[in-house]
Amino acid sequence: MNTPVTSLLKITLSTCLLVSLPAVTLAATVPQKWKLDVPKTNVDFEVKYLGKATTDGKFNKVNGAINYDVKNPTSTTINFTVYTNSIDTDRRLRDSFLRRKELLNTKQYPTMTFVSKKVSMINPKEANVTGDFTVLGQTKPLTVRVTLSDVENDPITSKPTLKFRATGLVDRYSYGVTAFPKVISNIIPLEISGKLIAAN
């Protein structure tokens, strides 16, 4: 389940994560370029176990960069890193179980990464972002659906911000994580959410 969790880069994967704004918002007052607000970024995952129960979790340590250009959204680039040892399911014993060699193997593989390769617009506010997702030393393509909000002003800094949400599914079996098949589901939903702040 660590790949899912990692994919988990409920970042990715990098987030995986850029979409164009509606034409009406592309006014001169809207900043052209945006970057990731790392402290406001969350990487969450959800895992089914024993056939029906569900466990939610997150990674407390992430890093990365998103470069988004309002005038050219398909040129968006994402580079996202999740530190696997920071997994947090609100249960210490369960976290230790997930860090074990058969799953996340956090000692040997301390990070999982997502690097975008292609942004395909669905509509002015949504896009499919496809990139390389690396987990447990294996790199495979992963596509996440990214949605952007309208431009808002941060209540504290008053600076323009964009909220984003990226969702995807990771099959842990495709990364060779096949342990405990009767306990942990092979398909793991992931979600990356956070903010972009004006870069200029």
Side-chain angles (χ1 to χ4, degrees):
M1 100 150 244
N2 61 319
T3 126
V5 173
T6 85
S7 154
L8 305 159
L9 257 200
K10 173 183 161 230
I11 99 131
T12 30
L13 124 261
S14 142
T15 6
C16 107
L17 309 179
L18 291 97
V19 195
S20 73
L21 297 171
V24 293
T25 69
L26 298 182
T29 55
V30 175
Q32 179 181 345
K33 296 183 179 181
W34 301 77
K35 63 182 180 180
L36 181 66
D37 187 352
V38 175
K40 300 292 179 64
T41 301
N42 302 305
V43 178
D44 304 303
F45 63 89
E46 183 178 275
V47 179
K48 286 187 177 181
Y49 66 97
L50 298 178
K52 51 186 178 181
T54 300
T55 294
D56 296 329
K58 61 183 178 180
F59 290 92
N60 291 322
K61 185 179 180 181
V62 302
N63 205 344
I66 295 176
N67 296 303
Y68 170 52
D69 189 329
V70 168
K71 294 182 179 180
N72 189 16
T74 57
S75 70
T76 291
T77 60
I78 302 168
N79 192 318
F80 205 78
T81 299
V82 174
Y83 296 87
T84 56
N85 196 52
S86 70
I87 189 170
D88 183 357
T89 63
D90 204 29
R91 292 287 188 277
R92 175 180 285 181
L93 289 178
R94 183 163 56 204
D95 293 345
S96 296
F97 174 77
L98 295 174
R99 293 186 183 108
R100 64 192 297 162
K101 184 177 181 180
E102 297 88 343
L103 295 175
L104 281 177
N105 196 0
T106 59
K107 288 186 178 180
Q108 186 172 353
Y109 301 100
T111 63
M112 55 188 177
T113 61
F114 178 83
V115 179
S116 64
K117 297 295 182 181
K118 181 180 179 181
V119 177
S120 302
M121 303 307 300
I122 300 170
N123 59 52
K125 304 196 71 170
E126 291 184 292
N128 284 325
V129 179
T130 300
D132 289 337
F133 184 46
T134 301
V135 177
L136 296 174
Q138 298 191 50
T139 300
K140 298 182 182 299
L142 174 68
T143 298
V144 295
R145 172 72 61 88
V146 180
T147 304
L148 285 184
S149 71
D150 290 328
V151 177
E152 301 175 353
N153 287 326
D154 187 279
I156 298 177
T157 66
S158 296
K159 293 182 177 181
T161 62
L162 282 171
K163 293 180 180 178
F164 72 84
R165 179 173 178 266
T167 59
L169 297 173
V170 176
D171 185 348
R172 68 186 182 98
Y173 288 3
S174 68
Y175 292 87
V177 185
T178 58
F180 311 107
K182 295 183 179 181
V183 179
I184 305 171
S185 171
N186 64 305
I187 302 298
I188 300 177
L190 66 90
E191 178 178 302
I192 302 172
S193 60
K195 288 184 178 181
L196 301 179
I197 55 178
N200 54 346

